[in-house]
Amino acid sequence: MKTEIINAHMVDPANDIDRVSNLYLHENTIAAVDAAPDGWQAEVTIDAKEHYIFPGLVDLAARMREPGQEHKATIATETLAAVSGGVTSLVCLPDTDPPVDSPAEIEFIQQRTHTTGHCHVYVIGALTKQLEGAMLTEMAALKEAGCVGVSNLLHPVTSNLVLRRAMEYASSQDLTLFFHPMDHDLKANGCIHEGLSATRMGLPGIPSAAETAAVGSCLALIEQTNVRVHFCRLSTQRSLQMLERASFDGAPVSADICAHQLFLHDNDIHDFDGNYHVLPPLRGKADMQGLRRRLCNDIIVGICSDHQPHEPDAKLAPFAATEAGISSLETLLPLTLKLVEENVLGLADAVGLLSHKPAKLLAIDAGTLSPGASADLCIVDPKLEWRLDAQTMISSGKNTPFLGQTFTGKVTHTFVAGRLAYQLKQ
Amino acid sequence: MQHFLTTESLDRDQLIAILDTAESFTSVDGRNIKKVPLLRGKTIVNLFFEASTRTRTTFELAAKRLSADVLNINVNSSATVKGESLLDTLRNLEAMHIDMFIIRHHNSGAAEFLTQHISPGISVINAGDGRHAHPTQAMLDMFTIRRVKGEFANLRVAIVGDLLHSRVARSQIHALRTLGAKEIRVIAPRTLLPSHIEDLGVVAYQNIERGIKNVDVIIMLRLQKERMQGALLPSQHEYYHLFGLTRDRLAMAAADAMVMHPGPINRGVEISSAVADGEQSVILQQVSYGIAVRMAIMSMLAGN
């Protein structure tokens, strides 16, 4: 199959391309950029005038709830939601049921992706057995099965000694540790940022120090061991300052931020709406602005969705009793484009944080439009206005505080390995 | 008003209207036959997910004096009550054609949650949700203050004790601010003060002698026994030593200062018996005014 996409505004930050151009796809790879290869005869031509072409987006964190939580979502439903949002590679996390702590779960996910999935799926394995924080998983076996990193997510690791050993062992297997900083003693039963909103609503708070204390002790262990660590879903600007400083001093660290932390703060939480219940919590406005200002720093290698689809019942309770998380695959690109519109990021920087930078962190073949690369890409109509509605959302999870909001810019086509995986119904 | 969930969203006129209506009901208390027919034929459910004696009984009495039919449902709070069962409980009761729910629940926002899922036409009164609000208690406190002091404008009010966990204090602060109290002070050790409390429009003191100076109203909060040991406070003894309301400390307040407490009292922990039973104490009046204030709120929600 030969497909050409012509007259598009191509943004491919890995190759420093940000101009009107043409793209030629042959089978599952990108055949050429700008000029057609010799003797080219397109079978399909898409005129993408006044549209963008971006590399397929790489999402560092998206739960699909399979295995074990199919009442929330499945690989089939969520990978379709992903491609509808321009995401062609996503990383799923080990807090399934059972957790991904052995090759069997990885193979299951790969198998289900092969038979029901719509995009590339990569797996982060559990750092400790059952995510219980005490015994290391068989990381060599996980790696051999294909996992791209290890993490204990927000499940506590029982001590800094275990964390140190896990860091060192993961490093010896050449597996990146995806570290979610949270001091669980300081968090206690908190469910919202410790600030005026928590005080007004009478909800137990999570102090910023619950994050910065964990960042601090992990940095001390990095200094001790010189192990590379990726810090996930940072919510406070102080954490970023600490990482910037450590990076300046030579520590091998990187970080990501999820899109909703760049648009919402604790003061936005109203009527005890459980759709605002996320972990780490939405911080104060100053933190949100601080995260925005620091997006261009080199240590930030990704904006991710932190997609967590839930069944309606999970949010049908008073705030603290709801399950945390936002269904966010379909708002990742629209929110990031909004950052461009609001002059927080340049377009190329924004696309880079959604594509080649996270791909580089994961060391996967994705995130660029280079000839020879996998033909993963999305075409975006930058002027199309649309409203996020529960009825039209593709994800099984309709749990998002952005319901009813209008966005500008929508994916019209998504190609995964040269195959048209999604096309917007006109 | 369809629901009564918090004092925060109400304006001065609404608060005053509640106090004025309550005033008209105080005469009912003194009658031989203590009933008015305002809620005749209405069914009210007391839905309590947390233990309560005082609040539940005053609600029950208030409803009965308005001639309503009252159903008391106590859901064992020691069992984990999940959201689904809260909603299921609600749905089941709704099917019985209830007119008004009075709910107490350990989760902040539970009453608000109920209003989001309830059929139109049913009223909800918040009888305490988590640490968030206890607006009927706050209104009976306002009623008591107005009865004794007349006006709010010149009052200095001190709230003393466990503000961190207190829904009563939050509702009092909002009501006092809206009613125009001159100064609101909160007095507690730092471990019992919520963060950013001063942004609610109060002045925080960590020393009771300084905080109580010249105040006209002293509201003592209950300190739960299980919170008196561990990391929040070292001991009951030290708390009383530092923050207990004694006669000596009361003497530092304005000469005619009134002493309040939402109950139940821990004598010798937050307040000395001499003060609790002394002539400046209005603690028992608070309880009896509680019925009139709750009658007022119920009848106003029912459209009277």
Side-chain angles (χ1 to χ4, degrees):
Chain A
M1 181 76 147
K2 288 178 175 171
T3 305
E4 60 184 18
I5 305 162
I6 56 171
N7 301 322
H9 180 160
M10 190 185 297
V11 182
D12 180 16
N15 293 306
D16 226 1
I17 294 174
D18 185 357
R19 57 179 149 78
V20 173
S21 181
N22 307 315
L23 189 69
Y24 302 90
L25 315 180
H26 184 207
E27 304 300 346
N28 56 4
T29 56
I30 290 169
V33 177
D34 288 335
D38 290 344
W40 177 263
Q41 285 267 308
E43 291 159 82
V44 177
T45 299
I46 299 172
D47 186 350
K49 193 161 179 273
E50 294 181 352
H51 283 54
Y52 289 125
I53 292 187
F54 299 150
L57 310 184
V58 178
D59 189 353
L60 285 171
R63 267 96 167 168
M64 295 183 292
R65 307 303 192 188
E66 236 185 303
Q69 298 161 320
E70 289 83 355
H71 63 292
K72 292 184 185 291
T74 62
I75 288 171
T77 59
E78 301 318 287
T79 52
L80 186 60
V83 293
S84 79
V87 174
T88 57
S89 299
L90 61 79
V91 177
C92 63
L93 305 180
D95 55 350
T96 47
D97 183 16
V100 182
D101 64 357
S102 77
E105 292 84 27
I106 297 180
E107 282 157 18
F108 175 84
I109 291 167
Q110 288 166 341
Q111 173 66 27
R112 295 290 291 165
T113 303
H114 182 71
T115 53
T116 68
H118 299 269
C119 69
H120 306 294
V121 170
Y122 297 91
V123 183
I124 284 181
L127 185 70
T128 60
K129 283 182 182 151
Q130 298 292 308
L131 292 169
E132 282 170 355
M135 288 156 68
L136 304 189
T137 50
E138 293 177 352
M139 292 185 211
L142 292 177
K143 184 171 167 98
E144 202 169 315
C147 92
V148 292
V150 284
S151 177
N152 224 53
L153 307 179
L154 283 170
H155 294 248
V157 173
T158 48
S159 71
N160 275 330
L161 179 61
V162 175
L163 180 59
R164 178 200 172 160
R165 286 175 175 157
M167 287 166 70
E168 290 180 322
Y169 194 81
S171 148
S172 69
Q173 302 307 316
D174 200 21
L175 276 167
T176 302
L177 173 60
F178 289 78
F179 181 68
H180 294 246
M182 179 73 84
D183 183 311
H184 291 268
D185 294 324
L186 285 172
K187 172 183 173 283
N189 61 346
C191 62
I192 173 178
H193 172 59
E194 182 180 303
L196 180 59
S197 292
T199 294
R200 277 188 48 235
M201 290 191 274
L203 290 168
I206 303 174
S208 299
E211 180 170 293
T212 52
V215 168
S217 55
C218 188
L219 282 175
L221 292 176
I222 292 169
E223 196 177 347
Q224 180 70 43
T225 59
N226 203 35
V227 167
R228 223 193 98 61
V229 172
H230 178 76
F231 289 79
C232 304
R233 318 306 101 80
L234 294 181
S235 67
T236 69
Q237 67 163 332
R238 182 74 192 119
S239 301
L240 281 182
Q241 287 170 333
M242 292 163 77
L243 291 185
E244 283 164 13
R245 178 72 224 184
S247 174
F248 180 79
D249 291 340
V253 294
S254 56
D256 68 64
I257 295 171
C258 55
H260 56 252
Q261 291 283 3
L262 299 165
F263 286 89
L264 301 173
H265 50 82
D266 65 338
N267 209 16
D268 291 321
I269 304 172
H270 54 82
D271 302 333
F272 291 93
D273 184 352
N275 283 322
Y276 290 87
H277 184 190
V278 287
L279 280 178
L282 301 172
R283 296 287 178 189
K285 193 172 184 184
D287 274 312
M288 187 193 84
Q289 289 167 333
L291 295 182
R292 283 178 160 223
R293 275 197 305 276
R294 301 188 125 74
L295 276 175
C296 290
N297 193 291
D298 286 342
I299 59 163
I300 307 282
V301 298
I303 298 174
C304 66
S305 71
D306 201 22
H307 178 67
Q308 298 180 46
H310 285 296
E311 77 284 16
D313 278 357
K315 295 287 187 183
L316 274 181
F319 191 93
T322 56
E323 292 181 50
I326 295 178
S327 175
S328 49
L329 269 169
E330 290 157 78
T331 48
L332 175 62
L333 179 61
L335 288 175
T336 308
L337 288 176
K338 212 167 170 182
L339 291 173
V340 177
E341 193 185 305
E342 293 174 10
N343 293 317
V344 176
L345 277 177
L347 180 61
D349 289 334
V351 174
L353 286 170
L354 293 177
S355 57
H356 81 97
K357 284 187 173 175
K360 193 174 162 200
L361 171 71
L362 299 166
I364 59 173
D365 170 25
T368 79
L369 297 172
S370 309
S374 176
D376 299 339
L377 58 102
C378 58
I379 304 175
V380 175
D381 180 348
K383 296 203 179 79
L384 187 64
E385 277 199 13
W386 60 284
R387 216 174 80 123
L388 186 71
D389 289 316
Q391 294 75 25
T392 49
M393 268 184 88
I394 292 173
S395 167
S396 294
K398 316 297 181 192
N399 50 298
T400 160
F402 296 107
L403 278 184
Q405 280 204 25
T406 302
F407 295 96
T408 307
K410 191 155 182 50
V411 172
T412 59
H413 301 73
T414 302
F415 285 85
V416 177
R419 187 181 59 83
L420 182 62
Y422 171 79
Q423 185 170 1
L424 179 67
K425 289 189 192 85
Q426 293 298 335
Chain B
M1 280 196 299
Q2 196 198 339
H3 307 298
F4 188 66
L5 305 181
T6 158
T7 50
E8 193 178 0
S9 54
L10 302 179
D11 61 29
R12 189 169 186 279
D13 289 347
Q14 287 170 306
L15 297 184
I16 296 286
I18 292 169
L19 299 182
D20 290 347
T21 310
E23 201 68 57
S24 72
F25 283 119
T26 48
S27 59
V28 178
D29 277 343
R31 287 189 212 158
N32 253 345
I33 296 167
K34 299 185 179 60
K35 278 205 180 198
V36 288
L38 287 172
L39 264 60
R40 180 177 291 160
K42 304 274 186 192
T43 308
I44 295 179
V45 170
N46 269 324
L47 186 55
F48 275 57
F49 291 84
E50 267 183 3
S52 158
T53 313
R54 190 171 320 219
T55 303
R56 194 186 55 70
T57 34
T58 50
F59 266 114
E60 188 176 349
L61 272 178
K64 284 180 171 164
R65 287 186 187 173
L66 292 167
S67 310
D69 296 318
V70 185
L71 184 64
N72 290 314
I73 298 178
N74 297 311
V75 184
N76 184 3
S77 61
S78 64
T80 313
V81 183
K82 294 186 84 179
E84 290 98 318
S85 67
L86 173 56
L87 206 53
D88 285 342
T89 311
L90 175 73
R91 294 260 184 267
N92 279 299
L93 291 168
E94 259 189 326
M96 300 174 200
H97 305 290
I98 306 299
D99 298 290
M100 191 180 291
F101 282 102
I102 292 153
I103 180 178
R104 168 171 288 195
H105 195 274
H106 47 271
N107 277 136
S108 299
E112 167 106 36
F113 173 75
L114 228 61
T115 65
Q116 291 162 0
H117 297 278
I118 207 164
S119 313
I122 301 179
S123 290
V124 175
I125 295 179
N126 184 4
D129 61 327
R131 306 176 184 179
H132 170 235
H134 192 354
T136 59
Q137 174 71 42
M139 288 314 294
L140 78 87
D141 295 334
M142 297 308 112
F143 186 82
T144 311
I145 292 172
R146 195 175 76 162
R147 274 240 152 171
V148 177
K149 297 288 179 188
E151 276 298 316
F152 290 90
N154 294 316
L155 293 183
R156 289 193 174 89
V157 183
I159 305 172
V160 187
D162 182 3
L163 283 112
L164 180 65
H165 300 96
S166 178
R167 53 195 173 208
V168 175
R170 284 170 174 78
S171 288
Q172 287 166 339
I173 289 168
H174 297 309
L176 284 166
R177 289 249 300 161
T178 306
L179 290 167
K182 184 178 180 183
E183 190 182 344
I184 307 165
R185 305 176 184 178
V186 295
I187 305 171
R190 180 93 187 254
T191 46
L192 296 180
L193 285 174
S195 72
H196 294 74
I197 181 88
E198 294 201 316
D199 291 345
L200 293 180
V202 303
V203 184
Y205 288 84
Q206 291 167 48
N207 174 300
I208 193 169
E209 282 87 6
R210 278 203 289 278
I212 214 166
K213 201 172 175 203
N214 297 332
V215 299
D216 307 292
V217 180
I218 303 167
I219 302 174
M220 302 303 294
L221 298 173
R222 175 175 150 76
L223 183 65
Q224 289 187 10
K225 285 238 161 78
E226 63 268 23
R227 295 195 174 120
M228 266 173 297
Q229 279 167 343
L232 284 171
L233 290 174
S235 71
Q236 184 172 317
H237 176 78
E238 179 150 313
Y239 182 78
Y240 186 67
H241 177 64
L242 291 177
F243 291 95
L245 186 61
T246 57
R247 277 204 161 141
D248 290 347
R249 285 178 175 145
L250 181 55
M252 299 174 190
D256 60 347
M258 59 191 281
V259 175
M260 303 169 70
H261 193 300
I265 302 173
N266 295 314
R267 288 166 189 270
V269 176
E270 62 234 5
I271 190 166
S272 74
S273 282
V275 173
D277 304 330
E279 57 190 22
Q280 284 169 269
S281 164
V282 293
I283 294 171
L284 290 177
Q285 276 119 293
Q286 285 175 270
V287 181
S288 58
Y289 293 154
I291 298 169
V293 168
R294 285 170 177 131
M295 285 172 78
I297 292 165
M298 284 182 194
S299 70
M300 288 167 83
L301 293 189
N304 292 296

